[in-house]
Amino acid sequence: MTPYRLRVDQPIDLEAALCGGQAFRWVQEGDGWFIGVLDNNVVRLRAVKDGVEVESAPDGPEALALALADYLRLDDDLPAIHRGLSADAQVSAAIRKYPGLRLLRQDPWECLVSFICSSNSSIRQIGRTLERMAHAYGESRRLGALERHTFPSPERLASVGETGLRALGAGFRAEYIAAAAQMVASGGLDVAGLRLRPYNEARAALLGVPGVGPKVAECVLLFSMDKLDAFPVDRWVRRALEEWYGVRRLKPPELRAWALERFGPYAGYANQYLFHHRRLAV
DNA sequence: TCCTCTCCTTGCTT
DNA sequence: AAAGCAAGGAGAG
């Protein structure tokens, strides 16, 4: 079959965006293809000259194009954002090196679980744990010979419980995930709805979830809730801030204030460039 | 109230 | 082979 071609007039680096520590379930085939699960579909993507080639099932790629454009945040004018951040030498260098690195607009529930899993773990390990959850408790979807699984619902993970999650290798995060699933399944937390709430309110709600501290909350806000001024500080960003800016021992609220002052309303984009650049700088 | 320290799963690396 | 490290958070003191 010939893939559908989604026209894109924005810079886009699929590897940096999909496999750079925002999302964890994309797998890279050879020759530029990426396979993942999006909107209940197995999706296969490849960047071409003026856009992205798309295959998907069970819905065809035409039907999925809108969801894909949403996921890739093609509504962000990246060149304009770059211009706004270009005054900073370090961010500017990172932009020159990874000009197509974009933020994603992920599903809030999967994003929440992903970053609960991220604590004291590694990108590869997070992906393995999430993939085991999906394989064990998600629904099968096929694209030709490819099989992937949807991410399990809050109801499903709530019924799996801590013991079942530990069996999947989630470790000490198992009880947090189980509790989070319980909160969402019972209606105590409307994760999807938080995208429409203001930053402060959404952040406070996330901090009420077990396993969610300041860093994880910022990640979920940035990668799934349209809060582009969120500023998660992990080990790599901390190193970048210390080595490149001389910023040390600031508490999370002070760090974000510093970032907003320095980078402005797209501080979250600056954050992702710094993270990516510092992490891949040997 | 705020700060600091330790512990927590797993698995790869040195 | 023991220790360090990985997109941190909770609880104790």
Side-chain angles (χ1 to χ4, degrees):
Chain A
M1 75 158 94
T2 69
Y4 173 81
R5 177 167 299 201
L6 175 67
R7 299 193 82 75
V8 178
D9 58 358
Q10 283 279 316
I12 181 159
D13 177 343
L14 290 178
E15 182 176 10
L18 301 178
C19 305
Q22 301 183 59
F24 303 92
R25 294 220 292 142
W26 290 94
V27 295
Q28 188 168 13
E29 282 189 327
D31 53 5
W33 285 98
F34 294 83
I35 300 161
V37 179
L38 178 64
D39 209 28
N40 255 340
N41 281 254
V42 182
V43 183
R44 195 160 171 265
L45 301 177
R46 175 171 68 170
V48 291
K49 291 134 292 279
D50 54 354
V52 176
E53 289 188 331
V54 189
E55 297 176 350
S56 64
D59 302 329
E62 301 89 344
L64 211 67
L66 209 62
L68 182 59
D70 187 71
Y71 182 80
L72 296 174
R73 297 195 71 96
L74 297 182
D75 48 319
D76 284 346
D77 183 354
L78 200 53
I81 293 170
H82 286 171
R83 286 193 290 278
L85 297 173
S86 62
D88 184 274
Q90 299 297 344
V91 175
S92 203
I95 291 172
R96 277 196 300 280
K97 196 158 183 181
Y98 307 100
L101 172 55
R102 309 181 68 84
L103 291 174
L104 301 173
R105 184 182 283 114
Q106 301 182 56
D107 170 71
W109 166 240
E110 180 170 346
C111 191
L112 173 61
V113 177
S114 298
F115 282 94
I116 290 176
C117 286
S118 77
S119 75
N120 203 29
S121 188
S122 65
I123 291 177
R124 221 162 55 144
Q125 183 72 7
I126 298 161
R128 272 196 291 257
T129 304
L130 293 171
E131 200 53 36
R132 282 195 289 263
M133 280 184 216
H135 190 266
Y137 300 111
E139 296 172 18
S140 169
R141 295 287 184 275
R142 292 175 186 280
L143 171 63
L146 290 172
E147 182 187 21
R148 297 295 303 272
H149 295 260
T150 61
F151 191 74
S153 67
E155 292 75 13
R156 196 70 205 276
L157 289 188
S159 73
V160 171
E162 176 184 347
T163 309
L165 290 163
R166 271 190 183 268
L168 297 178
F172 63 87
R173 310 156 194 90
E175 66 171 304
Y176 303 148
I177 300 164
Q182 191 60 245
M183 286 179 72
V184 177
S186 69
L189 175 67
D190 176 16
V191 265
L194 290 183
R195 183 179 286 168
L196 302 176
R197 310 306 310 165
Y199 170 90
N200 284 314
E201 185 182 333
R203 180 175 184 274
L206 288 170
L207 289 177
V209 179
V212 178
K215 189 273 175 183
V216 169
E218 294 294 302
C219 285
V220 177
L221 291 166
L222 181 59
F223 301 139
S224 75
M225 293 181 178
D226 285 342
K227 306 302 182 269
L228 297 188
D229 54 346
F231 199 82
V233 179
D234 78 314
R235 306 168 190 235
W236 296 108
V237 173
R238 182 163 296 280
R239 278 169 207 167
L241 295 182
E242 290 180 354
E243 295 170 12
W244 297 342
Y245 300 90
V247 171
R248 287 161 217 281
R249 53 179 172 281
L250 290 185
K251 294 164 287 187
E254 301 167 338
L255 276 168
R256 179 163 179 270
W258 178 88
L260 280 180
E261 168 72 20
R262 179 161 193 102
F263 301 118
Y266 292 103
Y269 261 101
N271 182 288
Q272 192 59 18
Y273 281 105
L274 291 174
F275 169 77
H276 199 70
H277 192 43
R278 183 59 185 82
R279 187 172 84 89
L280 297 184
V282 190

